Amino acid sequence: MSLLSGIRGPADLRALEAAELPLLAEEIRDFLIAAVTRTGGHLGPNLGVVELTIALHRVFDSPHDRILWDTGHQAYVHKLLTGRQDFSRLRARDGLSGYPSRAESEHDLIENSHASTALGYADGLAKADQLLGRTDRRNVAVIGDGALTGGMAWEALNNIAEARDRPLVIVVNDNERSYARTVGGLAHHLATLRTTQGYERFLALGKEALQRTPLVGQPIFDALHGAKKGFKDAFAPQGLFEDLGLKYLGPIDGHDIGAVEQALRQARNFGGPVIVHCLTVKGRGYRPAELDEADRFHAVNPIDPYTCLPVASSAGISWTSVFGAELVALAAERPELVAITAAMLRPVGLARFAQTYPERIFDVGIAEQHAVASAAGLATGGLHPVVAVYATFLNRAFDQVLMDVALHRLGVTFVLDRAGVTGNDGASHNGAWDMSVLQVVPGLRLAAPRDAEQLRAQLREAVAVDDAPTVLRFPKGDLHPAVPALERIGGVDVLQRTGPEPEILLVAVGAMAPACLDAAALLVTEGFTATVADPRWVKPVDPVLLELAAAHRLVVTVEDNGRSGGVGSAIAQALRDAGVDTPLRDLGILQEFLAHAGRGELLEEIGLSGTGVAAQTAAFAKQLLRTPPDPPMRGANQPHAG
């Protein structure tokens, strides 16, 4: 029996002999390579934390001691060591989440998958323990894979250092990367620490030589030893942490289980906050990942583990790739265009832009707030920034969008990838809030393209606006076939009419166009006629849409966004303001956190497929349009029966 199969929890791990641990690490890596290449998921980050995770669970007693993972995508090994070894449906419905999950295990205290948050949690937990007199447990925050580039992490460190008698262990998993190579001043600082491991050897050799020197040797060594802080500031500037009041241990080889265990025990027994700095290699033990300079197999789709070729090749073209190519073309025409992203250069389609215009691309690390504030500065300076992030992550920079960009009427374009239901990455990665959150921003203009042609056209329209923020949002995955318009009225595209006098106006927002076209065809079988219209720009509401609504008997809006405060709500308000009494019903994402599953599965489940839209619209229409009229009220001039 393998060592891994015998581990049902951390207690089994602690029962192993130290000599058995390298074999366990090898088994874990073999398991991860086989399992994750089959299902897809975050491979590189987890290969890099195998020994570190083993050491954590041997030194600390989870779940009594709380181990918090930041970012959560590096917790696969943690799952394996806490009794979750069925990876057959990783990130699929009814399978393991790709992030920590309270529903799965008591060992997962927080479900964080937005980076740079765990130190804040840990600070609060440590304060709670202190106030409640709990002294028998430790709180451990593992931060890495780029998360230490986020400003929230440094806000937390500033507060953690405030109480030097409040125990807290911070493990820095330093692999020099987030998705790609980590950027910024902190990255350079950690790189300096990586290159100064000779300091301690220098001091030890000096001590040996000087102590052999009669009379003067020991006083000279004592003077040098007293200057240790100065030497470390010069040769190994961990003073950055120590000046905050944080005890610093490291740098430590994060693949040496014994060394990591020793450091963690020291940290556990120290009476205050401690930083344990571990050096790891992303993709460790899988040669193709180690050689992949782009992102060390950060996240992979299902691939053959030997050839690394996709198991199923996609014949489609992704939304992301169309955006990336069009931005490069636009940049050739518009020298004022620059691009910004937050540690997601490749995932949001900016790799080609970076290769073509390296001086016009800014990757700020996992720091969305700074990305937007910096974009405001770039726009004020005469450029037009395009900020490309996942839709879910723009939530973190809402204040900057509102107060730094919109308030100053700056021409900044935001491109939101993975908008709407994303599926496999779970609740935190669904982009279900952007069109609701952004509705309240004065002057902002928001576009939702329905296909590649409209994506290109609307991106061009967006970057031409220089006196207000513009937003372009699109979903994850491959594009569907182009959806041509019958005609354009104002800024609204009419996609379909199923009768000479349509009763129902289906407002198809962006990628919901194919579902609405399918629904319109199905409604014919129920005896209803419909017009399908794509507003293209959903904020502000186009007056033409109000005219179309007034010419129909029922309006149904369909959006890949939360219903509360979304496009449907905005159109309903605009109808009320214009005195248009046509009833409106809105279809969208439920205001709840959706479990991980495929995008198609979730859209079907929440009624945003063609059949789902048709069924709900038919129910509305039967209720509102085919209800028999009320019987006439009996009046004074009407005859009485009997």
Side-chain angles (χ1 to χ4, degrees), residues 147-169:
L148 206 56
T149 61
M152 290 176 60
W154 291 93
E155 293 172 21
L157 283 172
N158 185 53
N159 281 269
I160 289 167
E162 179 184 20
R164 302 193 180 192
D165 62 343
R166 187 182 297 138
L168 177 59
V169 178

Side-chain angles (χ1 to χ4, degrees), residues 461 487-494 534-537 542-545 547-548:
E461 293 168 25
E487 63 176 320
R488 179 168 294 176
I489 308 173
V492 177
D493 279 353
V494 176
D534 172 12
R536 300 182 71 251
W537 289 85
D542 193 315
V544 168
L545 206 58
E547 296 171 10
L548 286 171

Side-chain angles (χ1 to χ4, degrees), residues 321-345:
S321 64
V322 171
F323 156 67
E326 189 64 18
L327 189 64
V328 171
L330 272 169
E333 303 168 18
R334 306 181 71 107
E336 75 277 11
L337 278 186
V338 294
I340 304 175
T341 191
M344 289 194 167
L345 193 72

Side-chain angles (χ1 to χ4, degrees), residues 497-519:
R497 293 188 182 93
T498 60
E501 296 182 1
E503 301 167 288
I504 302 166
L505 176 64
L506 285 172
V507 180
V509 177
M512 293 292 97
C516 288
L517 292 173
D518 291 344

Side-chain angles (χ1 to χ4, degrees), residues 53-66:
T53 310
I54 290 172
L56 279 165
H57 277 295
R58 281 173 61 83
V59 172
F60 296 99
D61 181 19
S62 177
H64 180 71
D65 294 326
R66 280 86 68 102

Side-chain angles (χ1 to χ4, degrees), residues 196-210:
T196 54
Q197 296 175 352
Y199 165 73
E200 297 293 347
R201 291 194 295 273
F202 163 78
L203 194 65
L205 289 171
K207 176 179 180 180
E208 182 181 348
L210 287 169

